[in-house]
Amino acid sequence: MTFPMPLAWVPTTAQITVAVVLLGILAVLIAVFARWGSYWIQAYMSGADVSMASLIAMSFLKIEHRLIVTAKVMARQAGLDIDRKGGISTARLQAHQLAGGDVMNVMKAIIAAHRAGIDLNFDRAAAIDLAGRDVLLAVQTSVSPRVIRCPMEGHEGTGNRTAGTLSAVAKNGVELLVSARVTVRTNLEQLIGGATEETIIARVGQGIVTSIGSADSHMDVLEMPSLISKGAMAHGLDVNTAYEIVSIDIADIDVGENIGARLQKDQADADVRVARAAAEVRRAEAVARKQQMKARVALRRAELVIAESEVPKGLAAAFRAGQIRVKRIAPPRVRSRRLGDGGGDHRPSDPSSSPLGDRSMPARIKPRSQEDS
């Protein structure tokens, strides 16, 4: 008895197509799993809620998979909310990475704030990071306050004074050189848009100078340096800044120059120079007045000479006009002899009867008006 030979199985075209498609899908799945499977398994085992589709999308967006997965795992393990709607979702981490932010730094800052009981959500931390601030350092400073020197380490002293100190003058004119340490912590509420530590240092320096300047004597400040810090803290120096001032401590205080005495000396020197200048002006005016008077004297002398020169002319004119004539006067010898005769008229006799005649009698000019009278 013979048995018929079995016929060979020949797949149809449809079956071949289905098989090829299945093999292609299997190859794709294998390739996908080989590329992103390790990240997906890591996220799945940690409960980080990172889908395979998100990992594939990261490849097209050129986002580092390990960074996002690690951040989600850290958030999950720290007990943070990673809900896709209101928590730290994968999409929000991708958006922050594409915006140029530091995802790991933001995540570390949020975890540190969560452990310290500081209210810091992802949106605020991302905004601080995108604003150019180190959000992790801000949280660390908020947890552990930092100390700032006032003035700063690189501050240069003026002239030969000690570098790194503030110069303030009390009411009695004595200079004090002060250096302080300011303890600050970060104010996360005002970190965005708040002033930096340079503003804090400037305001603290202003407060210290104001406090010393309001003291009656430098001895009061030396006896109680706490007056400086109390006066500085009373001015609200941390308003609109990214920091909150915890304390201001005076590290060193020295006595400088007596600025008041030096200013008084400079003022006295200036007054002396002004007085000398005024005296010089008065001296110059006196010299000029003296020369002016000399000139007037010379002028009056010249006028006198001119007037004297007019006298002969007047006499000559009077002679010519017949207004004056010559009167003969007896010589002294004749008069004494006549006076010795004793008695009689002592008036001189007529010149015409004199034995000497007109030549022996000196002439005296007498105006005619006097002769007629």
Side-chain angles (χ1 to χ4, degrees):
M1 181 177 179
T2 60
F3 295 94
M5 294 294 295
L7 298 176
W9 180 75
V10 178
T12 62
T13 304
Q15 293 176 344
I16 294 174
T17 303
V18 171
V20 170
V21 171
L22 292 175
L23 290 175
I25 293 174
L26 181 61
V28 171
L29 292 176
I30 293 174
V32 169
F33 192 82
R35 177 71 183 275
W36 299 288
S38 60
Y39 302 113
W40 181 81
I41 293 176
Q42 179 184 1
Y44 178 79
M45 296 302 294
S46 302
D49 189 18
V50 179
S51 63
M52 185 64 72
S54 298
L55 294 174
I56 296 174
M58 292 180 198
S59 298
F60 291 103
L61 295 175
K62 295 183 180 181
I63 298 175
E64 187 177 355
H65 310 83
R66 184 182 299 277
L67 182 66
I68 303 299
V69 173
T70 304
K72 287 294 294 287
V73 172
M74 290 172 59
R76 178 63 179 177
Q77 295 300 320
L80 300 178
D81 185 13
I82 59 173
D83 185 65
R84 294 187 179 183
K85 294 183 179 180
I88 306 175
S89 63
T90 304
R92 299 177 73 179
L93 292 177
Q94 293 176 357
H96 186 67
Q97 178 68 20
L98 291 174
D102 191 344
V103 175
M104 291 303 298
N105 200 40
V106 170
M107 192 57 61
K108 290 178 181 178
I110 296 174
I111 294 173
H114 179 71
R115 290 284 188 264
I118 300 174
D119 185 15
L120 180 64
N121 54 26
F122 178 80
D123 292 334
R124 181 178 295 276
I128 294 173
D129 182 66
L130 293 177
R133 300 291 185 87
D134 191 343
V135 61
L136 179 58
L137 179 61
V139 173
Q140 292 174 351
T141 306
S142 181
V143 175
S144 178
R146 58 177 296 192
V147 178
I148 304 174
R149 285 186 59 87
C150 181
M152 300 179 65
E153 295 291 343
H155 176 74
E156 295 293 338
T158 303
N160 295 325
R161 299 179 184 178
T162 305
T165 57
L166 291 172
S167 175
V169 181
K171 289 184 178 180
N172 61 348
V174 178
E175 178 191 31
L176 293 178
L177 303 175
V178 182
S179 63
R181 289 185 174 88
V182 185
T183 304
V184 297
R185 62 186 173 196
T186 305
N187 187 355
L188 296 177
E189 297 295 331
Q190 297 182 355
L191 188 59
I192 301 177
T196 58
E197 63 182 45
E198 286 79 6
T199 304
I200 292 289
I201 294 173
R203 289 183 179 181
V204 170
Q206 178 181 352
I208 291 174
V209 172
T210 303
S211 300
I212 295 177
S214 60
D216 294 331
S217 174
H218 70 286
M219 296 301 298
D220 298 337
V221 180
L222 294 176
E223 291 176 0
M224 296 185 64
S226 59
L227 295 176
I228 302 176
S229 57
K230 290 180 181 179
M233 291 288 291
H235 291 84
L237 304 178
D238 54 359
V239 178
N240 296 326
T241 62
Y243 297 94
E244 178 183 354
I245 298 178
V246 178
S247 65
I248 299 176
D249 304 311
I250 304 301
D252 187 19
I253 181 169
D254 295 324
V255 179
E257 301 178 3
N258 194 335
I259 304 297
R262 189 179 66 183
L263 293 178
Q264 292 178 0
K265 177 180 176 298
D266 295 341
Q267 183 63 39
D269 294 339
D271 293 340
V272 169
R273 288 192 293 268
V274 172
R276 287 178 178 175
E280 182 64 23
V281 170
R282 290 193 296 270
R283 189 193 68 82
E285 290 177 353
V287 172
R289 183 68 175 174
K290 180 180 178 181
Q291 298 298 327
Q292 185 178 4
M293 292 299 105
K294 288 182 178 180
R296 289 186 179 181
V297 169
L299 178 62
R300 296 298 180 263
R301 287 179 179 175
E303 292 177 353
L304 177 60
V305 172
I306 294 174
E308 289 178 349
S309 65
E310 295 294 332
V311 172
K313 295 180 181 179
L315 293 176
F319 273 117
R320 286 193 296 269
Q323 296 178 353
I324 59 175
R325 63 182 179 179
V326 179
K327 181 180 180 181
R328 302 295 180 180
I329 301 176
R333 183 179 56 186
V334 177
R335 285 188 297 173
S336 63
R337 186 174 56 246
R338 288 180 180 177
L339 291 175
D341 293 343
D345 192 1
H346 297 288
R347 292 180 297 176
S349 60
D350 189 10
S352 58
S353 61
S354 176
L356 298 176
D358 294 338
R359 291 176 294 180
S360 61
M361 299 295 291
R364 184 177 64 179
I365 301 174
K366 184 177 181 182
R368 176 172 294 181
S369 59
Q370 294 180 3
E371 182 68 22
D372 295 338
S373 61

